[in-house]
């Protein structure tokens, strides 16, 4: 009986539920039922759907990963393709992808707002995500593909994105603006502190919910597992170098078909989002079905383990491989701390009191070490970690202030 229930669910999600009951029953009688699913759309498709020019770019990192960048080169409203357009790179958080920046739509989405303000906007994707599942020699079926943490995403992916973008822009620009959320901030700190020459390629950097020191974090998933997986032991070794929540193409297509705006089950996705977030949520509820449709977008278990190590140690350190390998890699038995005091670029820290990842004390601990930081404390005491991306007034409290800061740097008129 359970088999038939699952078949019925799959058929319903695929849109077959609109057929009469008699037509549904024939799927149970057919030993090889054919379910037609609409193909998933990409970030570029979502951009183009709102009338903006959209580009897709493939970038090969120094260590062979093929990652995808999406771009809004100019605004169709401004028709400014021949004007000087400052560059902005937006980088997503853990388990996310460039699709997350699309969730709140063209009116409130920071990428669209930046394009309409005259910027050349790029959306990054880390290795292991929906748009980073290729390598010049490694298969996603092999653990070697997943042998990376957010350290490598910063060291190689973000560095490759910056270098590629500066060349493709073609306007002779030497630096970009950067906006990162959650892990998108961690990878920035990792790159800028260990390859400090990249600070010269940053105009302003905006860290939304900055995650570096996380000893005081309250996220239940991490705090529950960190005492076990946040140390170099047999449990962590068993969890090592795998895809966290393995990608299933059928499952992701089913979610896309169920939660897309034209689906008859779109209301169900909205209801689920409402149940999860509650009526008191700050989040833009129309954005959550898109998040359900596209997330989780893929990550390595090592990324999770690295965060758990940071939670347990209380330090912002490189990956702990155990004393023997640490000696080989770092010349010491324990992993060294990231020298964040070497980050000389203009760093804006956007933080709040109700963030279960970026605790106020941890953010302030980081801020003390950054030589060129500007603090932006969210006054709303209920402002949470995800609100920096999908708050119902994200344009007012995040996008507009960031654009104002960038415009001031660029000496652009309002």
């Amino acid at each position: 009986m359970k088999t038939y229930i699952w078949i019925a669910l799959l058929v319903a999600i695929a849109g077959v539920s609109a057929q009469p009951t008699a037509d549904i029953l024939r799927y149970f009688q057919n030993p090889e039922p054919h379910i037609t699913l609409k193909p998933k759309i990409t970030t570029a498709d979502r951009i183009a759907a709102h009338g903006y020019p959209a580009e897709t770019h493939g970038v090969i990192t120094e260590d062979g990963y093929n990652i995808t960048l999406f771009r809004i080169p100019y605004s169709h409203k401004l028709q400014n393709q021949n004007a000087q357009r400052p560059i902005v790179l937006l980088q997503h958080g853990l388990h996310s992808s460039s699709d997350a920046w699309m969730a709140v739509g063209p009116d409130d989405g920071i990428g669209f707002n930046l394009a309409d303000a005259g910027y050349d906007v790029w959306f990054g994707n880390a290795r292991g995500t929906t748009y980073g599942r290729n390598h010049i020699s490694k298969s996603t079926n092999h653990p070697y593909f997943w042998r990376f943490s957010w350290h490598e995403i910063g060291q190689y992916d973000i560095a490759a994105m910056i270098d590629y973008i500066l060349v493709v822009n073609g306007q002779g620009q030497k630096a970009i603006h950067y906006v990162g959320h959650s892990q998108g901030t961690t990878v920035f700190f990792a790159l800028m502190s260990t390859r400090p020459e990249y600070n010269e390629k940053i105009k302003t950097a905006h860290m939304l919910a900055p995650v570096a020191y996380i000893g005081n974090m309250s996220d239940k998933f991490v705090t529950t597992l960190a005492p076990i997986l946040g140390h170099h032991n047999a449990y962590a070794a068993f969890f090592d170098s795998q895809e966290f929540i393995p990608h299933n193409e059928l499952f992701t297509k089913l979610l896309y078909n169920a939660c897309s705006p034209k689906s008859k089950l779109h209301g169900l996705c909205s209801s689920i989002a409402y149940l999860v977030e509650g009526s008191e949520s700050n989040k833009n509820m129309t954005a959550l079905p898109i998040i359900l449709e596209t997330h989780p977008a893929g990550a390595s278990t090592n990324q999770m383990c690295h965060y758990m190590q940071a939670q347990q140690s209380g330090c912002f350190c490189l990956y702990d491989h155990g004393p023997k390998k640490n000696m080989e890699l770092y010349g010491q038995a324990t992993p060294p701390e990231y020298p964040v005091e070497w980050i000389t670029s203009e760093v804006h820290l956007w933080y709040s009191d109700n963030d279960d990842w970026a605790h106020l004390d941890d953010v302030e601990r980081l801020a003390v070490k950054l030589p060129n930081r500007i603090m932006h404390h969210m006054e709303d005491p209920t402002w949470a970690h995800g609100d920096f991306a999908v708050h119902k007034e994200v344009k007012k409290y995040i996008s507009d202030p960031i654009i104002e800061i960038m415009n001031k740097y660029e000496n652009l008129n309002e």
Side-chain angles (χ1 to χ4, degrees):
M1 182 61 185
K2 289 183 179 180
T3 302
Y4 287 107
I5 292 174
W6 279 109
I7 293 174
L9 178 60
L10 294 177
V11 172
I13 292 176
V16 182
S17 56
Q19 302 294 326
T21 303
D23 288 342
I24 293 177
L25 292 177
R26 65 186 173 87
Y27 282 87
F28 298 153
Q29 299 167 354
N30 183 353
E32 296 182 357
H34 299 284
I35 299 175
T36 302
L37 297 176
K38 296 178 182 178
K40 288 172 56 184
I41 62 174
T42 68
T43 298
D45 297 323
R46 297 177 189 277
I47 294 170
H50 296 299
Y52 290 80
E55 296 178 3
T56 303
H57 295 258
V59 179
I60 304 295
T61 67
E62 185 180 332
D63 57 346
Y65 284 83
N66 188 343
I67 54 179
T68 303
L69 294 173
F70 296 101
R71 181 191 190 192
I72 305 178
Y74 62 91
S75 171
H76 64 299
K77 298 177 183 178
L78 301 177
Q79 290 296 313
N80 60 328
Q81 55 266 44
N82 296 320
Q84 185 79 1
R85 303 178 310 282
I87 305 166
V88 184
L89 171 61
L90 306 179
Q91 185 60 28
H92 61 79
L94 182 65
H95 305 310
S96 189
S97 72
S98 55
D99 289 329
W101 302 108
M102 305 291 107
V104 295
D107 294 331
D108 297 323
I110 188 170
F112 298 106
N113 297 158
L114 282 162
D116 290 336
Y119 289 81
D120 180 3
V121 184
W122 294 77
F123 303 87
N125 284 288
R127 62 184 65 190
T129 65
T130 306
Y131 304 111
R133 299 181 61 83
N134 290 296
H135 189 275
I136 58 174
S137 62
K138 300 174 185 177
S139 166
T140 54
N141 295 323
H142 197 284
Y144 285 176
F145 180 93
W146 301 102
R147 191 164 289 176
F148 64 83
S149 178
W150 37 259
H151 175 80
E152 286 74 21
I153 294 172
Q155 283 275 293
Y156 302 118
D157 297 7
I158 303 301
M161 292 179 199
I162 293 172
D163 292 338
Y164 179 86
I165 289 169
L166 287 171
V167 171
V168 174
N169 171 265
Q171 295 183 326
Q173 299 187 49
K174 302 298 183 182
I176 70 169
H177 296 278
Y178 182 95
V179 179
H181 176 237
S182 191
Q183 183 187 255
T185 72
T186 312
V187 296
F188 178 87
F189 297 136
L191 172 62
M192 296 299 155
S193 61
T194 56
R195 301 178 72 174
E197 65 273 17
Y198 272 87
N199 284 277
E200 298 178 3
K201 300 181 181 184
I202 300 297
K203 295 178 176 179
T204 68
H206 301 269
M207 307 288 100
L208 308 179
V211 178
Y213 297 101
I214 57 173
N216 294 297
M217 76 176 313
S218 58
D219 178 81
K220 292 182 179 179
F221 179 83
V222 174
T223 55
T224 300
L225 293 180
I228 303 171
L229 299 178
H231 303 273
H232 185 73
N233 53 37
Y235 300 106
F238 181 78
F239 197 60
D240 181 72
S241 300
Q242 303 173 48
E243 182 173 11
F244 186 80
I245 308 179
H247 178 82
N248 184 296
E249 188 65 25
L250 175 61
F251 180 70
T252 55
K253 283 185 177 180
L254 289 172
L255 279 177
Y256 166 68
N257 279 260
C259 296
S260 61
K262 295 182 180 179
S263 167
K264 289 181 172 59
L265 297 179
H266 181 77
L268 177 60
C269 289
S270 298
S271 298
I272 292 173
Y274 180 86
L275 289 172
V276 171
E277 295 296 334
S279 60
E280 300 302 318
S281 172
N282 293 327
K283 292 179 176 57
N284 181 332
M285 300 306 285
T286 61
L288 295 182
I290 296 178
I291 298 298
L292 286 174
E293 170 191 329
T294 56
H295 291 63
S300 169
T301 52
N302 293 18
Q303 291 167 251
M304 295 300 302
C305 285
H306 201 169
Y307 277 126
M308 291 181 192
Q309 290 176 2
Q311 193 275 335
Q312 287 291 286
S313 67
C315 77
F316 183 43
C317 296
L318 278 72
Y319 199 89
D320 186 358
H321 297 276
K324 182 178 180 181
K325 191 170 183 180
N326 286 343
M327 286 297 298
E328 295 175 5
L329 294 175
Y330 312 131
Q332 57 187 62
T334 57
E337 287 205 43
Y338 286 99
V340 292
E341 62 274 10
W342 291 0
I343 302 176
T344 57
S345 52
E346 182 180 309
V347 178
H348 294 259
L349 301 176
W350 302 79
Y351 63 107
S352 64
D353 296 331
N354 191 38
D355 193 324
D356 59 357
W357 270 77
H359 190 277
L360 183 66
D361 293 342
D362 292 330
V363 174
E364 291 178 344
R365 179 184 175 189
L366 170 67
V368 170
K369 297 189 175 186
L370 295 173
N372 190 16
R373 85 298 187 248
I374 298 93
M375 309 293 280
H376 303 272
H377 179 248
M378 308 308 294
E379 295 182 2
D380 182 354
T382 68
W383 192 285
H385 190 72
D387 290 348
F388 289 94
V390 292
H391 192 280
K392 55 191 174 186
E393 293 189 277
V394 70
K395 182 178 186 297
K396 175 181 177 181
Y397 292 107
I398 298 297
S399 301
D400 288 349
I402 287 178
I403 291 172
E404 183 179 353
I405 292 168
M406 292 181 183
N407 284 348
K408 184 177 180 180
Y409 184 97
E410 300 289 344
N411 293 316
L412 296 176
N413 294 326
E414 292 291 333

